[in-house]
Amino acid sequence: MTTYIGTATSRVDGRDKVTGAARYAGEYDAPDLAHGSVVTSTIVKGRIRRIDTSEAMKVDGVLVILTHENRPPMADSDKAYEDDVAPEGSPYRPLYDGEIKFNGQPVALVLAEDFETATYAASLVKVDYDEQPHVTDLERQLGNAVALDPPAKPRGDAAKAFATSDIKHQADYSVPIEHHNPMELFASTAVWHDGKLTVYDKTQGVQNVQRYLCGVFEAKPDEIRVMSPFMGGGFGSGLRPQYQVVLAVLGARALKRSVRLVLTRQQMYMIGYRPAMIQRIQLGAKPDGTLNAITHDATTMTSQYEDFHRNETTWSGLLYKSEAASYAHSLVRLDLPTACDMRAPSAATGVYALEAAMDELAVALKMDPLELRLKCYSDSDQSTGLPFSSKNLRECYSQGAEAFGWNKRSFEPRSMRDGNDLIGWGMATGIWEALQVPITVRITLTGNGHAEVACATSDIGTGTYTIMAQVAADMLGLPIDNITVKLGDSTLPPSPVEGGSWIAASVSNGIVTTSNAIRDELLKMAQAMPNSALKGAQADDVVLTNGSIMSKKNPRSTVMVADAMRHAGIERVTQEKATKFKKGGKHAHNTHSAIFAEVKVDEQLGVIRVTRLVGAVAAGRILNLKTAHSQVMGGMIWGMGMALHEETLIDHRFGRIMNANIAEYHVPVNADVHNVEVIFVDEQDDIVNPMGIKGLGEIGIVGVPAAIANAVYHATGKRVRDLPITLDKLTRDA
């Protein structure tokens, strides 16, 4: 009896966003608000010898300049600086001491009466350093890579199986450092209330930040409240607390007044990134395409102080049958800040290498790339032997290929043309985890038919407000306009950080749990009424609809919610329930996709245009067709950027990023994006969770870089294995 779930519902917060009513972390005002500007290091590694703030302090309007020498007290244990998603190691402590760990590290905070004064004064701060040798080049440090525990047990003897295979493919694939470039800059406004703070922060987890700040400043939980009702894009960059929130609180504690700190775009490049990665893949096959062996070795990078890494290599075991397989992962330590999650961490990079290698194997076999994937299709996780709760990938292949016109593809490279352009068609598979996390939701229903749904989760721009309202409206039997959603506040019921495509499934099922508790309480009230039409009905026998409690067996047997509450003498019903999901289990939980790409390459200049992208996605139950379409389309466009545009460039002499701005760090713009088609493949999953939801935020990007790379090869006959594929690489000699 749903009304809103599964429909193309417009964002309930859309009006606030387009009219400016929605406020972000750097837009909150407070009486007596001071403004901050950060002074950053110009060396990579060493110690601060001396900081001269004398000239800066002469500027009218400057209040104080905080350094490690005069800052307010901070905790002195690593444990205090750990957050909910911190990797192993010793977390970075902003402005804690004089040690320099990376170029662009904050070394001073200038606080002034206005932003312009703070910024000007910051330029006058002089810092002398004792510099030490540094390393920032991954390729030159490969010999110092440290092996990690294998992400999965090997199957069979992969080396022997590869050596004895009829058809072999081996190659190295590399992805450079890539940086998040969300529209909203990282910012924090710390509002001072007689020793207590309300901190408005750009974050994907308000309770994570609140616990972190309490640890850093040894504060009681009721002394710091963190809020983030709106976020202008996170994509993983806001999973961990960033240094500006610590500095804003430091400033507020030093001045005993409110402080706002907004990072510059250039400073954003020193707070996390997708780590560069070099991968070696070996595929061995029989002449009919059956895989004998898969080996996948990945080397990636981390900082000197934390061990950030993800499972880059075992996606093949979820997609393709192989008699033997082995995986290895190594880390190189560099004098850079710790990397962080970026949309579809590990899958975006690991699947790129896997799917490019599968395309190369198809070429060696003289087999259609789609036919090869169907030949090697796996109905279970090869590493664990577990079947999938659902896997409608075959239908993704079928519907995607039909929409794209894949059957018209000629096999030979350089065989399709449009005037001076070479045309290439490529495809790839996408996969992501269907994750879910414990969550608590509170619902308050009033007698006049309005409900407030509250949870500390975040809306990082994906439409969480809207799907929460949709699910609550259907479960409570109310118009969506009668639903108010409160989120992004550390005082609300518990929620983990929002990321990994797990919040939609988690919070929606959480709303169902709490709505059922509301229904149960209302049923008891209705049954207490004289001559109740619902006498003897069980909770599962009734549903809330159109402001009433209705029997599923006999729709005429109803009791109005308002009447039941009036008879009980109450004006509102409140329930707060926790929802947990089984870990492990007897099934693997994943989303899947098939990506088809068309490129046109100018034969003389090597300029590449992606003229068509088709993505067919199987992700369980789709909650909102409109926002889901936007999520997947945005991910596909990001995949285009990964394939052709994005690359962070470091001058290793100075350990400094050379293109730390959105003029020189290239991302796709409107002129780059042509026809993008998203297909949602029906997929019912009664195992993953009661609502059959799998999540969509990450899957859109996965497979897209490989599909485009494979299309470029089909167009030109030239294989570029180091992303991004630029015209200089395409026109260089083999």
Side-chain angles (χ1 to χ4, degrees):
M1 302 184 70
T2 58
T3 305
Y4 298 103
I5 295 174
T7 64
T9 303
S10 296
R11 291 175 181 262
V12 297
D13 54 332
R15 180 176 292 275
D16 286 347
K17 287 187 172 180
V18 299
T19 60
R23 286 191 293 173
Y24 295 81
E27 297 179 329
Y28 285 89
D29 284 318
D32 204 24
L33 181 67
H35 297 261
S37 181
V38 181
V39 180
T40 56
S41 70
T42 56
I43 70 165
V44 184
K45 187 176 183 179
R47 293 196 66 85
I48 297 171
R49 184 189 315 129
R50 176 174 174 268
I51 299 180
D52 181 359
T53 62
S54 57
E55 290 300 314
M57 285 300 300
K58 293 177 184 178
V59 178
D60 288 342
V62 172
L63 301 168
V64 69
I65 299 176
L66 297 179
T67 71
H68 68 281
E69 298 174 331
N70 68 339
R71 56 161 175 76
M74 299 167 69
D76 61 2
S77 69
D78 280 343
K79 186 69 177 176
Y81 292 82
E82 290 179 357
D83 65 273
D84 293 350
V85 293
E88 292 183 1
S90 178
Y92 170 64
R93 307 178 186 185
L95 228 61
Y96 180 78
D97 57 25
E99 183 180 358
I100 301 300
K101 297 176 181 291
F102 53 87
N103 200 314
Q105 174 181 320
V107 296
L109 173 66
V110 178
L111 294 166
E113 295 289 357
D114 58 71
F115 172 73
E116 290 78 12
T117 298
T119 302
Y120 172 63
S123 70
L124 302 178
V125 175
K126 297 181 176 65
V127 186
D128 295 327
Y129 302 94
D130 291 321
E131 193 169 358
Q132 299 173 4
H134 65 266
V135 290
T136 56
D137 191 336
L138 172 63
E139 292 192 8
R140 291 191 176 184
Q141 293 297 312
L142 291 177
N144 296 320
V146 177
L148 301 173
D149 291 336
K153 293 181 179 180
R155 299 192 307 278
D157 187 336
K160 181 179 180 181
F162 176 75
T164 57
S165 292
D166 297 289
I167 307 295
K168 304 182 185 69
H169 168 70
Q170 174 181 301
D172 291 350
Y173 303 86
S174 64
V175 177
I177 293 174
E178 298 171 357
H179 267 85
H180 309 75
N181 276 283
M183 287 189 292
E184 181 194 9
L185 299 172
F186 269 90
S188 301
T189 303
V191 180
W192 181 267
H193 308 283
D194 297 325
K196 295 186 177 182
L197 287 170
T198 298
V199 182
Y200 296 93
D201 186 44
K202 177 184 169 116
T203 177
Q204 293 175 231
V206 289
Q207 291 176 329
N208 184 28
V209 173
Q210 191 263 352
R211 286 187 287 268
Y212 172 78
L213 291 175
C214 286
V216 171
F217 294 102
E218 299 177 323
K220 297 177 181 178
D222 65 348
E223 293 177 338
I224 299 178
R225 178 185 186 185
V226 178
M227 300 187 68
S228 182
F230 294 98
M231 189 179 189
F235 314 109
S237 62
L239 286 171
R240 301 187 67 185
Q242 300 295 358
Y243 73 72
Q244 90 288 335
V245 72
V246 174
L247 300 189
V249 172
L250 271 176
R253 287 193 153 204
L255 296 175
K256 293 182 170 50
R257 62 187 278 192
S258 302
V259 168
R260 175 190 295 163
L261 176 59
V262 182
L263 298 186
T264 65
R265 179 64 63 176
Q266 189 170 21
Q267 289 167 347
M268 295 261 289
Y269 279 74
M270 303 314 297
I271 59 174
Y273 50 90
R274 193 193 300 279
M277 185 174 307
I278 299 171
Q279 303 173 76
R280 171 162 294 179
I281 291 187
Q282 293 178 324
L283 300 177
K286 299 175 182 177
D288 67 352
T290 302
L291 286 171
N292 295 325
I294 299 175
T295 69
H296 193 159
D297 298 350
T299 302
T300 185
M301 55 189 284
T302 188
S303 65
Q304 297 286 3
Y305 51 90
E306 286 181 307
D307 294 337
F308 178 87
H309 59 88
R310 295 289 182 258
N311 174 18
E312 313 290 344
T313 58
T314 60
W315 301 101
S316 61
L318 294 163
L319 290 173
Y320 306 121
K321 290 184 294 186
S322 175
E323 295 177 0
S326 67
Y327 310 98
H329 195 170
S330 301
L331 271 180
V332 170
R333 295 188 178 280
L334 299 174
D335 294 308
L336 292 169
T338 303
C340 70
D341 290 312
M342 192 174 190
R343 193 170 232 181
S346 83
T349 46
V351 173
Y352 154 67
L354 171 67
E355 289 299 286
M358 285 291 285
D359 194 75
E360 295 202 60
L361 180 63
V363 172
L365 289 162
K366 295 183 170 51
M367 180 181 290
D368 181 272
L370 177 54
E371 182 185 351
L372 174 62
R373 287 163 173 82
L374 289 169
K375 178 72 176 180
C376 302
Y377 193 95
S378 178
D379 291 309
S380 64
D381 179 345
Q382 298 292 292
S383 296
T384 65
L386 295 176
F388 294 96
S389 59
S390 60
K391 184 178 180 180
N392 214 0
L393 179 56
R394 290 185 190 276
E395 192 61 22
C396 290
Y397 288 143
S398 176
Q399 291 189 29
E402 182 177 359
F404 188 81
W406 184 256
N407 62 347
K408 298 178 182 177
R409 177 184 186 269
S410 61
F411 179 81
E412 292 297 329
R414 303 180 64 90
S415 59
M416 300 170 67
R417 305 183 67 95
D418 179 11
N420 292 327
D421 288 334
L422 297 167
I423 298 176
W425 287 5
M427 60 86 55
T429 310
I431 186 169
W432 183 247
E433 302 166 288
L435 302 168
Q436 43 211 358
V437 291
I439 202 162
T440 302
V441 174
R442 182 176 68 236
I443 297 177
T444 299
L445 177 67
T446 61
N448 63 356
H450 285 75
E452 178 187 274
V453 184
C455 179
T457 190
S458 300
D459 188 335
I460 59 177
T462 54
T464 306
Y465 276 107
T466 306
I467 61 109
M468 287 178 67
Q470 288 177 265
V471 176
D474 281 351
M475 293 305 300
L476 298 172
L478 298 174
I480 198 168
D481 292 340
N482 288 20
I483 305 294
T484 300
V485 176
K486 294 182 71 173
L487 50 71
D489 183 339
S490 63
T491 64
L492 295 177
S495 170
V497 295
E498 176 160 6
S501 298
W502 59 57
I503 283 298
S506 303
V507 77
S508 296
N509 281 280
I511 291 170
V512 171
T513 299
T514 308
S515 296
N516 287 341
I518 292 279
R519 176 204 63 193
D520 295 352
E521 188 172 350
L522 291 173
L523 177 59
K524 291 178 182 178
M525 295 179 193
Q527 291 176 331
M529 296 172 65
N531 302 316
S532 173
L534 298 174
K535 282 285 187 185
Q538 300 297 311
D540 291 341
D541 295 334
V542 301
V543 64
L544 301 181
T545 180
N546 297 322
S548 68
I549 314 158
M550 184 186 76
S551 168
K552 295 178 183 177
K553 298 177 180 178
N554 182 7
R556 293 184 179 181
S557 297
T558 63
V559 174
M560 298 301 296
V561 170
D563 292 341
M565 293 176 67
R566 190 180 305 112
H567 181 267
I570 63 173
E571 296 181 353
R572 62 187 61 214
V573 176
T574 299
Q575 289 283 347
E576 182 174 317
K577 296 293 182 181
T579 299
K580 296 183 179 180
F581 302 88
K582 292 182 180 179
K583 292 184 178 181
K586 299 180 179 179
H587 295 83
H589 307 308
N590 295 89
T591 57
H592 300 89
S593 67
I595 306 295
F596 297 83
E598 176 185 83
V599 301
K600 292 186 177 181
V601 182
D602 186 295
E603 189 173 17
Q604 292 180 316
L605 301 178
V607 175
I608 305 167
R609 290 179 296 135
V610 180
T611 47
R612 282 195 300 147
L613 281 175
V614 174
V617 181
R621 189 178 194 180
I622 306 300
L623 292 170
N624 186 326
L625 291 172
K626 180 179 286 188
T627 56
H629 180 274
S630 294
Q631 278 294 293
V632 175
M633 182 172 66
M636 291 170 68
I637 293 169
W638 196 337
M640 183 192 305
M642 188 173 172
L644 303 179
H645 302 273
E646 295 193 53
E647 181 178 18
T648 301
L649 300 169
I650 297 177
D651 184 333
H652 296 297
R653 295 172 300 170
F654 306 104
R656 186 177 303 157
I657 296 174
M658 297 184 290
N659 59 334
N661 56 73
I662 52 177
E664 296 171 294
Y665 182 95
H666 296 165
V667 296
V669 296
N670 287 356
D672 297 310
V673 182
H674 297 273
N675 187 1
V676 179
E677 182 178 354
V678 178
I679 300 167
F680 290 117
V681 175
D682 288 340
E683 183 176 67
Q684 183 173 338
D685 194 325
D686 298 323
I687 297 172
V688 65
N689 55 58
M691 292 193 73
I693 303 167
K694 287 185 169 183
L696 276 171
E698 320 288 339
I699 188 67
I701 190 174
V702 185
V704 176
I708 293 172
N710 297 339
V712 169
Y713 169 78
H714 183 241
T716 65
K718 182 143 191 185
R719 182 72 64 173
V720 178
R721 301 188 181 100
D722 52 322
L723 297 184
I725 304 171
T726 50
L727 60 87
D728 58 311
K729 295 175 184 177
L730 205 57
T731 56
R732 69 190 174 193
D733 293 334

